[in-house]
Amino acid sequence: MDAASWDERYRGGELVWKAGPNRFVAEELAGLEPSGRAVDLAAGEGRNAVWLAERGWEVDAVDFSAVALEKAGRLAADRGARLRTVHADLTLWAPAEATYDLALIAYLHLPWPDMAQILPRAAAAVRSGGTLLLVGHDAANPERGHGGPQDPRVLYTAEQVADLWRPYADILRAETVTRPVTLAEGSSRTALDTLVRAVRR
């Protein structure tokens, strides 16, 4: 989907995603002392970015959907959080090196050649000792899990992500994790996600 398609998807008054943070983002980062600047790449409506800002981070929320960023700004204002929104295509956006203390990528799914450019740039943008966290739909999810993109060209494994971050960071966690999904009729399914956490050297 291109930016115009995402703009259309986000154009409704209600949030497409929940207002609270992703469960893995909260689990992995709740114990991290807010220590400066954070960037949320593909921030969408800002659920994770606003949560980080509420915790004391100075957050840049980057996305190519202007409509999503407008909603992120409203969500931040409603919660009394400060958020800087950056309207940019991540395939073209290159932050300065050693700018951030935390880089978050949650459910960004682009063809792997694009991801292979974005992930190293994200790592380089983090200062020594800073944290990198990626959560996304796992490559095994279409066959063994539920929901998410079904196109294998935009899915990845923890090892693929970790391999791109190893030249920059020490990998603390790289694995497939499970996430329960409750369907409209009340039944439950299990989704498979990739989770990679690293510390910049």
Side-chain angles (χ1 to χ4, degrees), residues 1 17 32 42 54 61 66 71 78 91-92 98 103 105 116 137 139 142 146 153 157 170 174 181 193:
M1 294 176 68
W17 318 113
L32 192 63
E54 288 178 313
K71 293 172 82 170
D78 289 345
T91 63
L92 305 173
I105 302 173
H137 301 286
H146 175 79
R153 295 173 297 179
T157 67
D170 296 323
V181 179
D193 287 345

Side-chain angles (χ1 to χ4, degrees), residues 132-199:
L132 292 153
L133 178 65
L134 176 139
V135 182
H137 301 286
D138 192 84
N141 193 58
E143 289 188 4
R144 303 195 346 248
H146 175 79
Q150 300 298 298
D151 184 349
R153 295 173 297 179
V154 301
L155 298 173
Y156 37 76
T157 67
E159 195 57 31
Q160 283 179 288
V161 175
D163 280 347
L164 290 178
W165 278 353
R166 280 194 180 95
Y168 305 88
D170 296 323
I171 306 300
L172 301 183
R173 188 178 181 190
E175 60 190 274
T176 301
V177 292
T178 59
R179 173 172 48 86
V181 179
T182 302
L183 304 184
E185 70 273 14
S187 62
S188 182
R189 298 287 188 274
T190 298
L192 302 181
D193 287 345
T194 284
L195 191 156
V196 183
R197 180 174 177 174
V199 173

Side-chain angles (χ1 to χ4, degrees), residues 1-195:
M1 294 176 68
D2 59 15
S5 300
W6 278 107
D7 279 345
E8 189 59 34
R9 183 173 185 184
Y10 286 127
R11 209 172 297 281
E14 298 298 319
L15 293 173
V16 174
W17 318 113
K18 295 178 181 177
N22 169 264
R23 58 174 295 179
F24 297 118
V25 171
E27 289 171 7
E28 291 294 321
L29 301 181
L32 192 63
E33 186 69 26
S35 58
R37 297 188 66 189
V39 62
D40 183 359
L41 302 176
E45 297 163 303
R47 58 185 293 203
N48 297 312
V50 171
W51 178 78
L52 289 169
E54 288 178 313
R55 299 187 63 80
W57 291 93
E58 182 184 342
V59 184
D60 289 350
V62 185
D63 203 280
F64 71 173
S65 169
V67 175
L69 291 176
E70 288 173 9
K71 293 172 82 170
R74 289 197 297 271
L75 182 64
D78 289 345
R79 295 188 180 181
R82 296 183 61 183
L83 189 68
R84 178 174 176 259
T85 58
V86 180
H87 184 213
D89 183 336
L90 289 176
T91 63
L92 305 173
W93 188 68
E97 293 190 7
T99 298
Y100 297 102
D101 302 283
L102 167 65
L104 169 64
I105 302 173
Y107 301 94
L108 172 62
H109 291 278
L110 297 171
W112 186 248
D114 291 329
M115 295 295 293
Q117 294 182 39
I118 292 168
L119 291 172
R121 287 203 297 260
V126 175
R127 300 184 181 104
S128 178
T131 296
L132 292 153
L133 178 65
L134 176 139
V135 182
H137 301 286
D138 192 84
N141 193 58
E143 289 188 4
R144 303 195 346 248
H146 175 79
Q150 300 298 298
D151 184 349
R153 295 173 297 179
V154 301
L155 298 173
Y156 37 76
T157 67
E159 195 57 31
Q160 283 179 288
V161 175
D163 280 347
L164 290 178
W165 278 353
R166 280 194 180 95
Y168 305 88
D170 296 323
I171 306 300
L172 301 183
R173 188 178 181 190
E175 60 190 274
T176 301
V177 292
T178 59
R179 173 172 48 86
V181 179
T182 302
L183 304 184
E185 70 273 14
S187 62
S188 182
R189 298 287 188 274
T190 298
L192 302 181
D193 287 345
T194 284
L195 191 156

